[in-house]
């Protein structure tokens, strides 16, 4: 096994911070007055006999382990050329990929600073804690201990097999949170003031952890950015595993997949899943209900009162869908299809024609791609998050604060797209990797506003605007009007509320394509929307 660290004997250079973890001492670096520790293992390498199995603790080490560089990243396919223009995803080779990083202004027991734990996104198939946008220096500068970590991705972390437990990637996240609970005090953090925050797949993961009895007490506040609590359909996950098995010519079992080279496995995964995405749907990896870590659907559990005492901050961007459509050219394709594309959105969202009609009435000048994008965004993301916020208006539940990020990228077509807010939350908007999505000249003042709100929430639970109530207050970051808007997107939500109490619509009659009343058959429409080589799943 490749070793991604060095061990030295005591004494060590006193210019570098040294902290003892439950498994041994680590030596970090001071960077602009912030103590930074990178690549600390929280679990053993998940390969060999541990592949596709739940995480186990790392082997303790003697002496002092160097923690000056990011540790190995989990196996993953690279982003396609279309998306790599906008999103960075560094690769660090090695086996010891279940590692974490700590930024702290006071690496000493007794400081009792608030702790924030970042869970990265990437559709559960890409990303890592080494992405430069996720630099924790700004949080440490503002008195917060910031922790970020890796977890297994794709089939390695979320494949569903008959001979292995489900959700090993989510179990990695639980192990990282257990490490934080046990070790963060030595880094100056308060284990009783831990806030988890994540975006996209990271937020979806937090939804599952909120609803999991096994994660109870490991964190005390939660931030969900552009990702709702949800569970994946087991049959869809199995279908993706079977497609991979067919291509690899092996049985669809964990034992067989464990014999496959990890690079080949990642490449095969990318190939079979290349046409899946939020707009088009299709088989994809996701968190499944397993009767153990995830005993039931996370959203339903939370609506019923799970984690009722955990304050929440949640929200979205104004134009999430633009990152799913613009890089692949699907925007122009959907606009050409017009009403056919709207019929496809009906099939994707399992709604009747009254929903797209309502969107057209509310937005008469919108293009077909904007209508389809907003429909799918509301159906998959905003409506579930608003339901969660609405469940927090009872007096016996902790409050929920809601935001919308409305500032538009300087790059053509991206608008206020998915993931654009990340550089502002981390106050890293000037990092070159952040500018890949935001473009040049991102407003520093907006980054300070948003970052400060996250710090305030982690510190005392109040980000600086009213909690969700019957007036539906939304803090709009980077908009043109008032910072707090009441009733934002209420008309669209009303369409989904009405649709949710109606029977699921029957499939459209074959042959029609010019009317939303008839539409094309859902399968035919979705096939027409797909373009070879285009993948929009993030």
């Amino acid at each position: 096994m490749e070793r991604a660290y060095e061990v030295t004997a005591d004494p060590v250079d006193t210019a570098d911070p040294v902290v003892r973890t439950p498994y041994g001492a680590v030596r970090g670096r001071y960077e602009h007055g912030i103590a930074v520790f990178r690549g600390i293992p929280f679990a053993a390498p998940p390969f060999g006999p541990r592949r596709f199995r739940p995480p186990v603790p790392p082997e303790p080490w003697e002496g002092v382990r160097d923690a000056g560089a990011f540790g190995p990243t989990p196996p993953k396919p690279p982003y396609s050329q279309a998306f790599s223009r906008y999103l960075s995803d560094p690769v660090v080779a090695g086996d010891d990929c279940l590692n974490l990083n700590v930024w702290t202004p006071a690496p000493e027991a007794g400081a009792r600073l608030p702790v924030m734990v970042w869970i990265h996104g990437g559709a559960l198939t890409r990303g890592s804690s080494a992405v430069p946008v996720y630099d924790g220096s700004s949080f440490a500068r503002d008195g917060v201990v910031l922790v970020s970590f890796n977890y297994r991705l794709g089939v390695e972390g979320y494949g569903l097999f008959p001979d292995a437990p489900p959700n090993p990637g989510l179990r990695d996240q639980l192990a990282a949170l257990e490490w934080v609970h046990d070790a963060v005090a030595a880094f100056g953090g308060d284990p009783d003031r831990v806030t988890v925050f994540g975006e996209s797949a990271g937020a979806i993961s937090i939804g599952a952890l909120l609803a999991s009895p096994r994660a109870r007490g490991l964190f005390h506040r939660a931030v969900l950015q552009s990702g709702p609590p949800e569970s994946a359909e087991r049959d869809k996950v199995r279908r993706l595993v079977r497609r991979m098995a067919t291509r690899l010519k092996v049985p669809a079992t964990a034992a067989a997949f464990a014999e496959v080279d990890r690079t080949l496995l990642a490449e095969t995964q990318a190939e079979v899943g290349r046409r899946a995405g939020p707009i088009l749907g299709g088989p994809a990896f996701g968190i499944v209900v397993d009767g153990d870590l995830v005993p039931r659907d996370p959203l339903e559990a939370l609506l019923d009162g799970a984690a009722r005492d955990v304050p929440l901050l949640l929200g979205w961007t104004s134009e999430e869908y633009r990152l799913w459509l613009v890089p692949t050219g699907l925007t122009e394709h959907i606009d050409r299809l017009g009403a056919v594309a709207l019929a496809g959105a009906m099939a994707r969202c399992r709604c009747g024609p009254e929903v797209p009609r309502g969107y057209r009435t509310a937005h008469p000048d919108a293009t077909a791609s904007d209508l389809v994008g907003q429909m799918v965004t509301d159906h998959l993301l905003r409506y579930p998050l608003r339901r969660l916020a609405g469940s927090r208006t009872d007096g016996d539940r902790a409050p929920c604060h809601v935001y919308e990020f409305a500032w538009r990228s300087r790059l053509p077509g991206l608008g206020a797209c998915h993931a654009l807010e990340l550089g502002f939350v981390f106050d890293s908007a000037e990092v070159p990797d952040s500018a890949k999505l935001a473009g040049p000249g991102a407003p520093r003042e907006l980054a300070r506003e948003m970052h400060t709100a996250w710090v305030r929430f982690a510190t005392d639970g109040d980000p600086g605007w009213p909690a969700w109530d019957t007036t539906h207050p939304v803090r709009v970051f980077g908009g043109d009007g008032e910072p707090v808007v009441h009733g934002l997107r209420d008309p669209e939500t009303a369409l989904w509320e009405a649709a949710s109490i109606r029977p699921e619509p029957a499939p459209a009659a074959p042959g029609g394509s010019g009317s939303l009343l008839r539409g094309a058959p859902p399968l035919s429409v979705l096939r027409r929307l797909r373009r070879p080589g285009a993948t929009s799943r993030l």
Side-chain angles (χ1 to χ4, degrees), residues 387-452:
R387 290 182 67 198
L388 178 56
S391 73
R392 292 305 185 98
T393 57
D394 294 340
D396 66 338
R397 300 192 184 190
C400 177
H401 295 79
V402 177
Y403 75 90
E404 176 165 311
F405 184 79
W407 184 80
R408 310 190 85 222
S409 171
R410 309 283 193 202
L411 300 179
L414 288 181
C417 68
H418 189 71
L420 182 60
E421 88 284 6
L422 291 174
F424 296 82
V425 168
F426 279 85
D427 196 8
S428 59
E430 291 187 344
V431 172
D433 296 81
S434 183
K436 288 176 67 174
L437 197 59
R444 285 301 306 274
E445 183 56 34
L446 179 59
R448 291 296 299 150
E449 287 178 9
M450 199 167 195
H451 172 77
T452 298

Side-chain angles (χ1 to χ4, degrees), residues 158-162 164-167 231-242 283-284 286-292 294:
Y158 298 93
L160 196 55
F161 300 100
N167 300 318
S231 59
E233 296 179 30
R234 297 174 71 93
D235 285 346
K236 283 190 174 183
V237 178
R238 286 197 185 98
R239 199 183 318 158
L240 198 54
V241 170
R242 286 196 297 268
I287 297 166
V288 298
V289 173
D290 58 20
D292 172 25
V294 187

Side-chain angles (χ1 to χ4, degrees), residues 70-126:
F70 286 113
T73 51
K76 57 188 174 178
Y79 280 117
S80 67
Q81 184 177 1
F83 285 106
S84 63
R85 296 170 50 200
Y86 302 107
L87 303 170
S88 296
D89 197 9
V91 172
V92 182
D95 289 347
D96 224 345
C97 60
L98 297 183
N99 58 73
L100 53 78
N101 320 293
V102 182
W103 286 259
T104 175
E108 56 193 25
R112 309 293 288 187
L113 297 171
V115 179
M116 297 188 73
V117 181
W118 171 248
I119 304 179
H120 71 80
L124 300 176
T125 58
R126 295 176 174 88

Side-chain angles (χ1 to χ4, degrees), residues 200-517:
S200 193
I204 292 170
S205 300
I206 290 171
L209 292 166
L210 277 165
S212 174
R214 291 185 57 188
R216 186 77 178 159
L218 295 178
F219 56 89
H220 312 90
R221 299 186 180 103
V223 184
L224 287 76
Q225 301 171 212
S226 300
E230 65 178 22
S231 59
E233 296 179 30
R234 297 174 71 93
D235 285 346
K236 283 190 174 183
V237 178
R238 286 197 185 98
R239 199 183 318 158
L240 198 54
V241 170
R242 286 196 297 268
R243 289 181 182 179
M244 291 183 64
T246 299
R247 283 181 177 268
L248 293 166
K249 297 181 172 57
V250 300
T253 65
F257 273 49
E259 297 299 318
V260 178
D261 173 77
R262 67 188 74 166
T263 300
L264 175 60
L265 203 60
E267 291 172 350
T268 305
Q269 170 191 302
E271 179 62 25
V272 300
R274 67 192 178 97
R275 296 186 185 181
I279 298 295
L280 302 178
F285 291 112
I287 297 166
V288 298
V289 173
D290 58 20
D292 172 25
L293 181 58
V294 187
R296 58 182 298 208
D297 178 75
L299 179 59
E300 295 305 317
L302 293 172
L303 294 178
D304 285 346
R308 67 175 66 224
D309 58 338
V310 179
L312 302 179
L313 170 61
L314 54 85
W316 46 76
T317 70
S318 297
E319 299 167 300
E320 300 271 359
Y321 61 93
R322 288 188 175 272
L323 189 60
W324 307 330
L325 297 182
V326 171
T328 59
L330 276 173
T331 303
E332 295 79 8
H333 191 58
I334 291 173
D335 285 339
R336 285 195 299 270
L337 289 175
V340 174
L342 286 170
M346 285 168 50
R348 175 75 176 99
C349 300
R350 300 179 181 179
C351 66
E354 68 279 359
V355 174
R357 283 201 195 107
Y359 275 81
R360 173 59 75 193
T361 299
H363 308 282
D365 298 324
T367 64
S369 59
D370 283 333
L371 291 177
V372 167
Q374 292 289 10
M375 274 182 60
V376 174
T377 298
D378 287 346
H379 172 68
L380 296 179
L381 197 158
R382 291 197 189 103
Y383 181 50
L385 287 175
R386 283 178 60 113
R387 290 182 67 198
L388 178 56
S391 73
R392 292 305 185 98
T393 57
D394 294 340
D396 66 338
R397 300 192 184 190
C400 177
H401 295 79
V402 177
Y403 75 90
E404 176 165 311
F405 184 79
W407 184 80
R408 310 190 85 222
S409 171
R410 309 283 193 202
L411 300 179
L414 288 181
C417 68
H418 189 71
L420 182 60
E421 88 284 6
L422 291 174
F424 296 82
V425 168
F426 279 85
D427 196 8
S428 59
E430 291 187 344
V431 172
D433 296 81
S434 183
K436 288 176 67 174
L437 197 59
R444 285 301 306 274
E445 183 56 34
L446 179 59
R448 291 296 299 150
E449 287 178 9
M450 199 167 195
H451 172 77
T452 298
W454 266 237
V455 170
R456 287 184 56 174
F457 181 74
T459 303
D460 60 23
D462 181 4
W465 67 90
W468 190 262
D469 59 19
T470 56
T471 68
H472 300 171
V474 179
R475 173 64 163 95
V476 180
F477 289 98
D480 297 328
E482 293 295 321
V484 177
V485 179
H486 292 264
L488 182 67
R489 303 191 182 277
D490 278 7
E492 292 89 344
T493 300
L495 293 170
W496 294 108
E497 289 175 341
S500 69
I501 61 175
R502 296 169 63 90
E504 185 172 314
S513 61
S515 168
L516 288 177
L517 281 173

